[in-house]
Amino acid sequence: YQAIKNIDPPIGHPPPIYISIPRVKISSNIEPLDIIDLNNSLSYETPKNVVGHIPESANPGEQGNLWLFGHLESPIKGEGNVFQRLPDIPDLLREGDPVYVEVENNTGQIYLYVVIKTQIIHHNEFDLYNSEASTITLVACVPKLIYDHRILVTGTLVGVKNR
């Protein structure tokens, strides 16, 4: 990976197509999130069995926050469990283990993010936010069978390489 401190943040990069978090054995294709009409409001719908990207958020390597969503589990609707191991990340960080997230775009560039924090918030407190830096935030509904909170795993861009 080329160190990010030696290059300017890229602008206008293609959207993400693949994510890998080797430390927790997560790997998945990425698709844009669709917007659904909930009568009095609009919401993003996380796709089945893959990770979803909010198209209006940053793309890999760009300044801003790259928002990616995945299901923890979906026993009733059968939407998959692509982020099933996301809740393991806070324990790894507490133990001092670094966690890296790789995100690839369709030009073969792979962007490396290091996880810097995790948090769990109530779904009513959840808001999308931007960033001055190149960051990534992974989101899943927790806890199992209740899903009234969100786990947010945030990383910062540390490297880039060509496949």
Side-chain angles (χ1 to χ4, degrees):
Y1 288 94
Q2 179 181 358
I4 291 303
K5 62 185 174 193
N6 298 330
I7 62 172
D8 293 326
I11 302 215
H13 274 210
I17 63 165
Y18 193 78
I19 183 172
S20 175
I21 311 172
R23 189 68 180 86
V24 290
K25 297 178 176 64
I26 290 175
S27 59
S28 173
N29 289 330
I30 300 172
E31 295 179 2
L33 287 170
D34 291 327
I35 296 178
I36 55 173
D37 188 348
L38 301 174
N39 294 329
N40 59 352
S41 68
L42 298 176
S43 178
Y44 288 102
E45 181 176 33
T46 302
K48 294 180 180 182
N49 300 306
V50 297
V51 171
H53 170 235
I54 292 186
E56 295 80 11
S57 73
N59 287 326
E62 292 178 342
Q63 179 180 350
N65 202 2
L66 166 63
W67 285 94
L68 299 176
F69 290 71
H71 291 289
L72 183 70
E73 64 177 3
S74 181
I76 296 171
K77 292 186 177 181
E79 295 173 320
N81 61 354
V82 68
F83 274 172
Q84 179 181 13
R85 303 261 334 260
L86 206 63
D88 295 347
I89 293 176
D91 288 338
L92 292 171
L93 294 179
R94 277 192 288 278
E95 294 168 6
D97 291 343
V99 177
Y100 294 96
V101 179
E102 296 178 344
V103 180
E104 184 175 348
N105 66 25
N106 63 5
T107 66
Q109 290 180 304
I110 300 171
Y111 293 86
L112 183 68
Y113 297 83
V114 62
V115 175
I116 56 171
K117 73 175 183 175
T118 64
Q119 63 187 93
I120 295 179
I121 60 172
H122 192 270
H123 70 90
N124 290 335
E125 299 172 4
F126 178 73
D127 281 314
L128 298 175
Y129 56 85
N130 209 350
S131 170
E132 294 294 319
S134 297
T135 58
I136 187 171
T137 301
L138 312 174
V139 182
C141 299
V142 293
K144 289 183 178 186
L145 305 177
I146 299 172
Y147 310 116
D148 63 348
H149 285 73
R150 304 293 176 264
I151 182 169
L152 282 70
V153 174
T154 302
T156 187
L157 187 63
V158 294
V160 60
K161 71 177 181 180
N162 290 320
R163 184 168 24 127

